[in-house]
Amino acid sequence: MIPSCLNLQLTPLFPSPFLSVNRLSLLPSSTFPAFAAKSRRLAFAATKAPSISTMAAEQGNAGNLKQKLAKLFQLSLEATVPGEPDIEPLVAACTAKFGDYQCNNAMGLWSKIKGRPGIEFRGPPAVGQAIMKNLPQSEMIESCSVAGPGFVNVVLSKNWMAKNIQKMLVDGIETWAPKLSIKRAVVDFSSPNIAKEMHVGHLRSTIIGDTLASMLEFSNVEVLRRNHVGDWGTQFGMLIEFLFEKFPNFEDVNETAIGDLQAFYKESKQRFDVDAEFKDRAQKAVVRLQSGEQMYRKAWAQICEISRREFDQVYQRLGVHLEEKGESFYNPYIPGVIEALTNQGLVEESKGARVIFIEGINIPLIVVKSDGGYNYASTDMTALWYRLTEEKAEWIIYVTDVGQQQHFDMFFKAAKRAGWLPADDRQYPKASHVGFGLVLGEDGKRFRTRSTEVVRLADLLDEAKTRSKAALIERGKAAEWTEEELEQTAEAVGYGAVKYADLKNNRLTNYTFDFDQMLNDKGNTAVYLLYAHARICSIIRKSGKDTGELKKTGKIVLDHADERALGLHLLQFAEVVEEACTNLLPNVLCEYLYNLSENYTRFYSNCQVVGSAEETSRLLLCEATAVVMRKCFFLLGIKPVYKI
């Protein structure tokens, strides 16, 4: 539920996002208390925001096994220890042979109630027995048992499992989507700098951010996919002056005229470093740009547009969708935000700069530099304010490398001091930094070309597609397929391999970029998974049956142990997506997808599909597996292939 204060229809403080800093300084100081008032209202509401788990439990979830069982155990716990407050059912999937799920409350509950008058239990096993006895009757549970120190093991009904898989096939995979408590989130990802080409360093932010956004969207959250590009720094004075010098009729300039934008940037930077007169002109150009001088604003817009079109080519190849709101968008709002923070007593003078001191950190957060200019902290604080008050986001997620962790930690703490965010990180609205490690080369160092340059992302994608196409040709596909089919499959497999090799790792760790490993068709790779999906589709085609009709007339049966194991794994999809969303860990979904493929392989190896007495049921299990795999691919930004 969105806090009431964030439902206000707030009028933007400034009429245009392109007002200059100098013009803003002319606004009456009476305008600025609006920021402080909104900040105070935020502080009041934030402390009341519910946790994600509480809200999800209240709303229920059609596809989430763990939540369904948690509701049953909640009733059992209330009956076992009436009136005992704050007991949340601890339900987890089993890894042992005793059951499918386990309730682990007995030991913790015993430690709370032992020694109390009237307590008849004689230890955790007795508490576990009582929890099992008080569990309400449910068609989803086949049997229960108590093991060890009170662990309550649950075996799910295979008939109930089969019925729910079939229901998903009829009603669609969307019925298994998690239902999170929040309604709107901002995912801030990719964020390259204008006039610099996207390189391998942008790969992780773009891929991880896209997957997080997709998982949240699937979970019924409205996601604002924000590309916070660097388009308002001091380098623009340098770029604009170089543009004027090289192209007097700069308004007619396009990508072809400038050529390699990265080379253009390097050339202007070299000139800036060695030519004092040019440097002086460039520094003055920054002031003229920020003051809104028309010619400089037009040149800035021209450079941004050329750069933007280059970015868009990469995003199209990756299938990534973002909405650009760069640093320049927030610049007009910065003075008001700084003024409001100052009025709250948060901003102090220090060595000529204006700063916010953060408890526990020995360096302050500089929000106005000693020369009066703004920096990343100024923009980030303002962007957070805007996202909370104007865009009414309840969760703001920033996807950058782990090297920026201290910066985000400091500005999140400053926002808490301002009352914009609650002190408790489990409550909403909240801000989260999704850090990630480096992409390394085979030498264990930062991934670079042989000339020590950073690897251009476009070149990397070209190489992935080329290698993928070569492997397909080696398998004889050029003779079997049209050129279009070959190209499309090479792209799907090549780009998918690059994405999956990144996403399958815990994002906090570094990983080594290795084309040979990621394009291997064996092991935990996208190639293996895409081929597995194509094989399922091939089996269904060979049967000659219409799965659309089978969904309506057929029936799934899970009598074989491998059928049941596959069915259980399929049913765990919703809780895995929710875990990946809640903890912001795409690798959790990758692990699920790989294990699903392994479960399917065991099923297919031991359970004949086409021509068996159980053909209809097993074809429906194949279809359900393919449906879930395709949704996993979609969430990971990977295009499935249907034949190989």
Side-chain angles (χ1 to χ4, degrees):
M1 186 170 125
I2 300 178
S4 58
C5 75
L6 294 180
N7 281 323
L8 294 173
Q9 296 299 310
L10 301 175
T11 303
L13 184 58
F14 303 117
S16 166
F18 292 106
L19 286 172
S20 71
V21 174
N22 287 354
R23 285 173 65 195
L24 286 175
S25 65
L26 300 176
L27 288 169
S29 58
S30 59
T31 306
F32 298 130
F35 283 87
K38 289 177 185 177
S39 297
R40 287 193 294 273
R41 289 197 293 275
L42 273 171
F44 174 76
T47 58
K48 297 185 177 181
S51 70
I52 199 167
S53 59
T54 302
M55 290 292 290
E58 289 171 1
Q59 294 175 7
N61 191 329
N64 195 315
L65 285 183
K66 192 184 290 186
Q67 283 189 13
K68 287 177 180 290
L69 287 170
K71 287 182 178 181
L72 294 174
F73 276 106
Q74 182 70 57
L75 295 172
S76 172
L77 290 165
E78 290 170 1
T80 302
V81 281
E84 187 67 30
D86 302 324
I87 301 179
E88 285 207 18
L90 304 176
V91 178
C94 278
T95 54
K97 60 183 178 180
F98 301 109
D100 301 318
Y101 283 82
Q102 192 174 73
C103 177
N104 302 323
N105 283 89
M107 289 181 66
L109 190 54
W110 170 248
S111 67
K112 290 181 72 174
I113 65 175
K114 65 180 178 180
R116 289 187 189 173
I119 294 297
E120 298 178 356
F121 302 120
R122 292 288 181 264
V127 176
Q129 289 288 346
I131 293 171
M132 182 179 71
K133 179 183 174 183
N134 289 320
L135 196 63
Q137 290 291 318
S138 171
E139 63 171 338
M140 72 183 295
I141 297 177
E142 186 172 296
S143 64
C144 292
S145 61
V146 177
F151 300 130
V152 182
N153 295 302
V154 174
V155 176
L156 297 174
S157 161
K158 62 183 180 181
N159 293 332
W160 180 88
M161 291 165 60
K163 186 172 71 175
N164 276 269
I165 295 169
Q166 193 150 350
K167 192 173 189 303
M168 179 276 289
L169 283 174
V170 173
D171 296 341
I173 188 70
E174 305 303 322
T175 60
W176 281 4
K179 291 181 174 62
L180 304 186
S181 66
I182 59 170
K183 294 181 180 178
R184 180 178 290 176
V186 170
V187 181
D188 181 327
F189 66 107
S190 194
S191 306
N193 286 318
I194 291 292
K196 292 185 179 180
E197 284 187 297
M198 291 181 72
H199 53 74
V200 73
H202 297 112
L203 178 69
R204 300 206 75 181
S205 178
T206 304
I207 291 173
I208 293 169
D210 181 56
T211 294
L212 293 177
S214 294
M215 291 194 301
L216 287 165
E217 287 163 345
F218 177 63
S219 304
N220 300 291
V221 177
E222 180 191 359
V223 177
L224 307 181
R225 293 163 163 261
R226 290 287 180 258
N227 199 5
H228 190 83
V229 296
D231 66 349
W232 197 249
T234 54
Q235 79 272 19
F236 276 98
M238 172 185 82
L239 289 165
I240 289 169
E241 280 302 315
F242 195 66
L243 183 70
F244 288 164
E245 190 174 277
K246 201 165 184 179
F247 303 100
N249 298 320
F250 71 91
E251 292 185 38
D252 299 326
V253 170
N254 54 29
E255 297 97 320
T256 306
I258 284 186
D260 188 331
L261 198 58
Q262 183 76 358
F264 181 82
Y265 180 90
K266 285 182 178 178
E267 202 176 341
S268 64
K269 180 69 168 68
Q270 185 178 28
R271 182 75 184 281
F272 183 86
D273 290 340
V274 300
D275 187 331
E277 190 272 333
F278 177 82
K279 182 176 182 178
D280 181 62
R281 280 192 286 126
Q283 289 171 335
K284 288 176 180 175
V286 176
V287 177
R288 299 174 82 169
L289 169 66
Q290 292 184 348
S291 67
E293 196 166 321
Q294 188 175 21
M295 185 173 75
Y296 286 82
R297 182 68 64 144
K298 280 186 177 180
W300 168 79
Q302 184 80 338
I303 293 168
C304 288
E305 183 57 29
I306 292 170
S307 192
R308 187 178 293 116
R309 284 198 286 265
E310 289 198 6
F311 295 159
D312 286 346
Q313 290 176 11
V314 174
Y315 292 136
Q316 285 176 20
R317 294 178 70 177
L318 290 171
V320 172
H321 306 285
L322 302 101
E323 181 187 0
E324 183 181 309
K325 265 192 169 64
E327 292 173 350
S328 62
F329 178 86
Y330 303 103
N331 200 69
Y333 299 90
I334 293 176
V337 170
I338 301 299
E339 184 73 13
L341 293 171
T342 302
N343 291 341
Q344 287 182 267
L346 270 66
V347 178
E348 304 176 39
E349 296 287 333
S350 177
K351 299 180 181 178
R354 299 175 70 190
V355 306
I356 299 175
F357 288 100
I358 309 296
E359 186 177 352
I361 300 177
N362 57 10
I363 56 172
L365 184 73
I366 300 173
V367 291
V368 182
K369 297 185 292 185
S370 56
D371 64 1
Y374 300 126
N375 58 8
Y376 289 125
S378 322
T379 303
D380 283 342
M381 286 292 288
T382 302
L384 178 60
W385 172 88
Y386 185 90
R387 290 162 176 178
L388 288 168
T389 59
E390 302 300 311
E391 295 182 318
K392 302 173 179 62
E394 297 151 278
W395 197 1
I396 300 96
I397 298 164
Y398 300 83
V399 187
T400 75
D401 64 87
V402 292
Q404 298 186 47
Q405 179 62 55
Q406 185 181 57
H407 166 72
F408 283 99
D409 185 46
M410 290 176 69
F411 106 76
F412 290 169
K413 286 180 177 177
K416 289 177 183 179
R417 280 194 64 194
W420 300 354
L421 299 173
D424 187 346
D425 288 332
R426 294 171 299 179
Q427 294 184 321
Y428 292 83
K430 73 175 181 179
S432 302
H433 176 231
V434 174
F436 55 81
L438 298 174
V439 182
L440 305 177
E442 293 180 10
D443 58 0
K445 298 177 181 178
R446 192 186 291 266
F447 190 39
R448 294 183 182 276
T449 64
R450 289 179 181 175
S451 61
T452 73
E453 295 286 335
V454 292
V455 180
R456 295 172 68 245
L457 197 42
D459 291 343
L460 185 148
L461 294 174
D462 287 342
E463 179 76 5
K465 180 183 174 181
T466 299
R467 289 180 179 235
S468 175
K469 187 175 181 179
L472 290 168
I473 292 171
E474 191 176 328
R475 292 165 63 102
K477 299 303 175 183
E480 298 176 24
W481 296 351
T482 65
E483 181 62 23
E484 185 181 6
E485 286 176 323
L486 191 63
E487 286 287 312
Q488 289 177 349
T489 305
E491 275 193 9
V493 174
Y495 299 170
V498 170
K499 289 184 177 185
Y500 188 81
D502 186 307
L503 294 167
K504 74 176 182 179
N505 300 286
N506 185 308
R507 57 176 168 76
L508 292 170
T509 62
N510 300 336
Y511 83 95
T512 301
F513 194 95
D514 183 343
F515 271 123
D516 291 335
Q517 193 281 326
M518 66 178 59
L519 289 167
N520 195 328
D521 61 3
K522 295 179 177 61
N524 189 8
T525 67
V527 183
Y528 168 74
L529 295 168
L530 288 166
Y531 285 10
H533 174 263
R535 281 194 293 272
I536 296 173
C537 296
S538 175
I539 292 164
I540 295 172
R541 283 195 300 270
K542 286 177 182 176
S543 76
K545 299 292 177 63
D546 181 351
T547 53
E549 286 301 314
L550 290 183
K551 292 175 192 177
K552 301 172 188 175
T553 59
K555 182 181 179 183
I556 295 176
V557 179
L558 303 176
D559 285 342
H560 192 283
D562 291 318
E563 291 174 322
R564 190 184 187 283
L566 176 59
L568 176 61
H569 197 78
L570 288 169
L571 285 163
Q572 291 172 332
F573 170 71
E575 64 200 55
V576 168
V577 175
E578 182 165 330
E579 179 189 348
C581 281
T582 304
N583 297 319
L584 302 172
L585 291 172
N587 64 295
V588 170
L589 183 62
C590 293
E591 183 181 1
Y592 170 84
L593 177 57
Y594 177 67
N595 289 336
L596 175 59
S597 182
E598 294 285 272
N599 270 292
Y600 179 82
T601 299
R602 280 191 292 273
F603 154 74
Y604 183 67
S605 299
N606 298 317
C607 301
Q608 181 185 344
V609 178
V610 180
S612 69
E614 302 86 0
E615 182 181 84
T616 295
S617 169
R618 290 175 178 174
L619 281 172
L620 288 173
L621 263 183
C622 289
E623 177 67 10
T625 304
V627 167
V628 173
M629 287 188 80
R630 284 195 288 272
K631 181 54 69 173
C632 289
F633 287 142
F634 173 78
L635 297 177
L636 297 170
I638 297 171
K639 287 185 179 178
V641 296
Y642 292 83
K643 64 178 185 178
I644 204 69

